Amino acid sequence: MRNKDKDLENQTEFLFSAALRLCEDWELAGELTQDTLLSALLALRGGEEIADLRGWLLTVLRRRHCDWLRKKYRQPLILVGADFDCPDETDCFDGIAAEEEAEAVRREVAY
């Protein structure tokens, strides 16, 4: 078991740099790295055999990042002190959401 823990520990720096490239946010990269390492530790201690540890870690990291993006974009947008009139609110906010989602997709594809 110790050998597997050591292998996992050796991947920490690589995993953090990959997370930082994905999200471009130091704190979020740390959280994603920690979540990914916890998943790997639980899987390894649960007896799961992982043939390609680095590939497995990257897959889990990408999925955690996608989960974070989904959660972020599902939260309602709250405008404080908005002084504009919009006949149909959906038309006013479609462009904003589309731009943010497009940027997130561009970052995912670029990786």
Side-chain angles (χ1 to χ4, degrees):
M1 186 60 66
R2 284 285 166 213
N3 192 25
K4 290 179 181 181
D5 289 350
K6 189 68 174 170
D7 289 343
L8 194 57
E9 187 178 323
N10 291 337
Q11 299 297 323
T12 304
E13 205 171 300
F14 164 75
L15 197 59
F16 180 78
S17 65
L20 195 56
R21 282 192 309 270
L22 271 177
C23 65
E24 299 173 355
D25 180 336
W26 192 269
E27 288 182 33
L28 179 58
E31 288 179 30
L32 292 171
T33 300
Q34 188 175 19
D35 287 348
T36 303
L37 289 171
L38 179 61
S39 294
L41 188 61
L42 292 173
L44 289 172
R45 291 205 173 156
E48 187 173 330
E49 288 296 320
I50 301 172
D52 179 18
L53 182 62
R54 189 174 269 202
W56 188 88
L57 288 170
L58 283 175
T59 300
V60 172
L61 176 68
R62 285 188 198 111
R63 289 180 179 168
R64 297 281 182 199
H65 184 247
C66 288
D67 291 343
W68 180 84
L69 286 173
R70 272 190 226 102
K71 181 180 175 185
K72 177 182 174 184
Y73 290 113
R74 283 186 182 155
Q75 292 178 353
L77 179 65
I78 299 171
L79 296 177
V80 178
D83 291 351
F84 60 90
D85 291 328
C86 185
D88 182 13
E89 287 183 351
T90 56
D91 291 338
C92 293
F93 298 115
D94 283 344
I96 294 171
E99 289 175 27
E100 290 175 349
E101 288 174 316
E103 181 59 33
V105 169
R106 276 195 287 276
R107 274 191 273 158
E108 286 296 317
V109 171
Y111 182 75

